[in-house]
Amino acid sequence: MKDLSLDFQFTSSINKVWESLTDSEVLAKWMWKNDFKPVVGHVFQFRAEPNEWWDGILNGEVLEVDEPHKLSYKLGTGSEIHTVTWTFTKSEDGGTHLHLDQTGISDNPGAFEGAKYGQTESIGKLKKLLGEL
């Protein structure tokens, strides 16, 4: 198993970044259609366009919500189930430091690289939505 750890810096406020990762309608603008709710125990799905490698569905369950500081959920498909934990910290300049820990990534070829690419690409889309790119 492998673990992914990434850090991102936003000029947006911690509440704005929190909303972007927890509001279903905002999530759909930069990520995928979903039925996410920031409620511990809530079972949800992210739905992307299917392709030749994947049916486009990620199943998840919310594990921890500490608004606006920490959000954790299980997320995956098939045997590739990861625990995703976002930690939000207010920066001295009023922006937000966002830390990602994604654990439980299998040793299957491309799994770690796919997770890293997917998270980095998604955060790029979020920064664009927030007007930071």
Side-chain angles (χ1 to χ4, degrees), residues 1 3 5-6 11-12 28 36 72 75 86 91 95 103 105 119:
M1 293 285 174
D3 297 336
S5 181
L6 296 171
T11 58
S12 298
F36 184 85
S72 182
L75 187 67
W86 298 100
S91 303
T103 62
I105 301 170
Q119 294 291 7

Side-chain angles (χ1 to χ4, degrees), residues 17-112:
V17 177
W18 174 265
E19 178 189 32
S20 299
L21 273 82
T22 58
D23 184 294
S24 177
E25 291 182 22
V26 179
L27 273 168
K29 291 179 182 176
W30 63 275
M31 204 166 179
W32 298 311
K33 294 178 184 173
N34 66 86
D35 58 353
F36 184 85
K37 294 179 184 175
V39 176
V40 174
H42 178 67
V43 176
F44 63 96
Q45 288 186 330
F46 283 113
R47 293 184 167 269
E49 288 296 320
N51 60 41
E52 62 184 289
W53 301 286
W54 174 46
D55 66 3
I57 298 172
L58 290 176
N59 295 299
E61 180 178 354
V62 178
L63 301 174
E64 184 176 354
V65 177
D66 178 15
E67 184 178 352
H69 305 291
K70 189 173 185 180
L71 174 67
S72 182
Y73 48 80
K74 286 196 175 290
L75 187 67
T77 184
S79 62
E80 197 71 40
I81 306 295
H82 306 168
T83 297
V84 176
T85 302
W86 298 100
T87 304
F88 305 70
T89 306
K90 184 178 179 180
S91 303
E92 290 182 20
D93 63 359
T96 304
H97 176 87
L98 182 63
H99 178 77
L100 165 69
D101 285 313
Q102 186 166 341
T103 62
I105 301 170
S106 75
D107 293 324
N108 292 335
F112 180 82

